[in-house]
Amino acid sequence: VAEYIGEYVSDAVADLREKRYREQRIQDYQFRVDGSLVIDATLCGGYARYINHSCSPNCAAKVVNGKSPTEHLKRVLIVSQRDIQASDELCYDYQVRECFVCFAKNSSSFPSHTSSLFQFPLEMNLELRIPCNCGSKQCRGFMNWDTPEKSNRRTAKITSGGRRGRGVRRK
């Protein structure tokens, strides 16, 4: 469907930029590829940065190895999980993505193994959870939580000192 493109930065640089964007009231679009690499699409990125979150998505984010000779620069592909009608909004679950661990020897485009990764860590502290407004029947109530908790949804708040997850579209 799309590729999440932007500037590759380290985790430390992404943290600094996140703070600067917040101070300047700029909505940031950062996608954590792994523990040390982030794609910052805030100032230079493609349309995939505008794809919203849903707990019942029609797309999925897949992390694949970069092209030779920069295999370490992983690529993020947004792929459909089912047929999508022209009037349907594209969405993927910001909490979960699949990482293609290795490629089949005969193919440079199809991975031979996948594993699930999380875009940002699960938040045990209710005060730091990010409310979800996707409206799906499977809504978990929070974007940084993995089980439905609709009863707690209205009590959640984002504290000004709390760290938000990358890849979260801030409105």
Side-chain angles (χ1 to χ4, degrees):
V1 174
E3 181 173 357
Y4 197 99
I5 58 173
E7 183 181 1
Y8 289 95
V9 297
S10 69
D11 191 51
V13 169
D15 287 344
L16 292 173
R17 286 185 179 185
E18 181 180 19
K19 182 179 178 185
R20 186 178 72 214
Y21 294 148
R22 190 176 4 207
E23 289 169 354
Q24 296 176 354
R25 300 181 59 97
I26 297 173
Q27 182 171 335
D28 71 301
Y29 299 92
Q30 297 185 26
F31 194 104
R32 179 178 302 283
V33 178
D34 59 30
S36 62
L37 187 64
V38 175
I39 298 175
D40 183 356
T42 305
L43 301 177
C44 60
Y47 65 89
R49 66 182 159 169
Y50 300 120
I51 299 176
N52 284 321
H53 161 83
S54 176
C55 295
S56 181
N58 54 17
C59 294
K62 307 234 182 218
V63 178
V64 299
N65 287 333
K67 293 181 179 179
S68 183
T70 56
E71 293 88 357
H72 66 286
L73 294 178
K74 308 282 189 220
R75 298 173 60 204
V76 178
L77 307 177
I78 309 299
V79 297
S80 65
Q81 293 185 308
R82 59 179 181 262
D83 289 339
I84 300 172
Q85 301 302 312
S87 61
D88 291 346
E89 178 183 8
L90 299 177
C91 54
Y92 67 96
D93 188 342
Y94 288 1
Q95 181 60 29
V96 179
R97 68 183 190 274
E98 288 185 1
C99 179
F100 294 152
V101 178
C102 59
F103 286 85
K105 290 181 180 179
N106 298 351
S107 172
S108 62
S109 59
F110 294 104
S112 60
H113 183 268
T114 64
S115 65
S116 292
L117 298 171
F118 295 106
Q119 180 63 12
F120 40 80
L122 298 178
E123 184 56 63
M124 300 303 290
N125 182 342
L126 183 61
E127 297 295 315
L128 297 177
R129 289 189 190 166
I130 302 167
C132 178
N133 297 306
C134 72
S136 80
K137 292 179 182 176
Q138 293 80 28
C139 182
R140 297 184 303 267
F142 302 95
M143 288 192 284
N144 54 344
W145 192 242
D146 63 350
T147 57
E149 292 194 24
K150 289 186 180 186
S151 62
N152 293 331
R153 188 173 179 186
R154 302 258 187 260
T155 62
K157 68 178 182 178
I158 299 172
T159 60
S160 59
R163 182 171 181 217
R164 298 178 68 125
R166 280 181 197 71
V168 175
R169 182 170 180 203
R170 298 185 178 116
K171 295 186 178 186

